[in-house]
Amino acid sequence: MNKLGVLEGLLFAVGDEGLTIDGIKDILEVSDTEAKSLLSLLQKRYESDEYGLRISYLGERFKLTTKREHKDYYQKLISSPDSDELSNAALETLAIIAYNGPLTRLEIDTMRGVSSNYTLRKLLAKDLVEVSGKSDLPGRPNLYSVSKYFLDFFGLGSLSDLPEIESTLHQDNGDDLYSSMYKEELND
């Protein structure tokens, strides 16, 4: 097994949370020396101009991050006209935060079933979501809530103006779909 590739995948999967040396040792079942050696090899690989990523040591954790020298391009991505529209992923993430917030990124990911890293960053950049505190969970991850701009953007006075979930999911239009669709076949 290519432990260097596994480490790269692990750093990608944990996103902003990052990994400690102890975490890397436990997951890969390697010694302290081997964990540091793998990190060093990966860091050297990313130093090349061929890669847009690097390994950063931030908040006592190792994280896969973008290179600072490319920041102008990332800023263009966030502020491009195409980014003014909200994707389905962004709308889904906003709904989860609005109805259930404040939430950690991991809680959002669990509800969505996929990583929300990129979507959350775009929503933060658009000022629709804000960091509203720190969780008491280990590592003290950020808590995300919708912002006041979110309320303005969607024309809401407060979160209590959001439509009730049951009323939108179970609208009864008077038709019993099963009996109306299959009534003729059942009577024949």
Side-chain angles (χ1 to χ4, degrees):
M1 174 189 332
N2 177 358
K3 290 182 181 175
L4 191 63
V6 173
L7 175 59
E8 181 180 42
L10 290 170
L11 289 169
F12 175 79
V14 297
D16 291 340
E17 301 297 318
L19 286 172
T20 62
I21 285 287
D22 288 338
I24 294 168
K25 288 175 9 186
D26 290 344
I27 295 168
L28 293 178
E29 298 176 347
V30 296
S31 68
D32 191 70
T33 304
E34 189 175 358
K36 290 177 181 175
S37 174
L38 287 168
L39 274 168
S40 178
L41 284 170
L42 202 52
Q43 282 177 315
K44 284 181 182 157
R45 174 189 290 176
Y46 284 133
E47 286 174 6
S48 164
D49 288 341
E50 295 176 15
Y51 295 95
L53 301 173
R54 66 189 186 114
I55 306 295
S56 300
Y57 185 70
L58 304 165
E60 299 181 3
R61 293 173 173 272
F62 292 93
K63 302 176 183 185
L64 194 58
T65 62
T66 55
K67 291 185 175 177
R68 286 188 181 109
E69 56 267 29
H70 301 159
K71 75 176 185 174
D72 292 339
Y73 296 100
Y74 306 132
Q75 195 60 39
K76 283 181 186 178
L77 174 67
I78 291 171
S79 62
S80 74
D82 292 343
S83 69
D84 287 344
E85 295 180 12
L86 293 174
S87 66
N88 287 339
L91 290 171
E92 179 183 41
T93 303
L94 275 174
I96 288 170
I97 296 169
Y99 282 98
N100 303 291
L103 297 167
T104 65
R105 185 186 55 82
L106 185 58
E107 290 170 324
I108 297 165
D109 292 352
T110 300
M111 288 182 182
R112 290 193 63 224
V114 295
S115 174
S116 301
N117 240 355
Y118 176 73
T119 304
L120 204 49
R121 274 191 234 139
K122 284 196 79 154
L123 292 172
L124 284 163
K126 290 178 181 293
D127 200 29
L128 292 167
V129 170
E130 63 189 7
V131 175
S132 59
K134 294 280 190 180
S135 171
D136 291 332
L137 295 171
R140 308 245 327 128
N142 289 332
L143 288 170
Y144 298 97
S145 298
V146 292
S147 66
K148 291 186 188 318
Y149 179 67
F150 166 87
L151 297 173
D152 293 345
F153 187 85
F154 287 100
L156 301 169
S158 70
L159 289 178
S160 62
D161 294 336
L162 286 168
E164 291 186 32
I165 294 178
E166 278 78 35
S167 67
T168 57
L169 290 178
H170 303 291
Q171 289 180 347
D172 185 11
N173 60 6
D175 292 336
D176 181 355
L177 293 179
Y178 180 78
S179 64
S180 65
M181 285 176 58
Y182 298 104
K183 186 183 276 184
E184 293 175 15
E185 290 179 29
L186 293 174
N187 292 333
D188 285 341

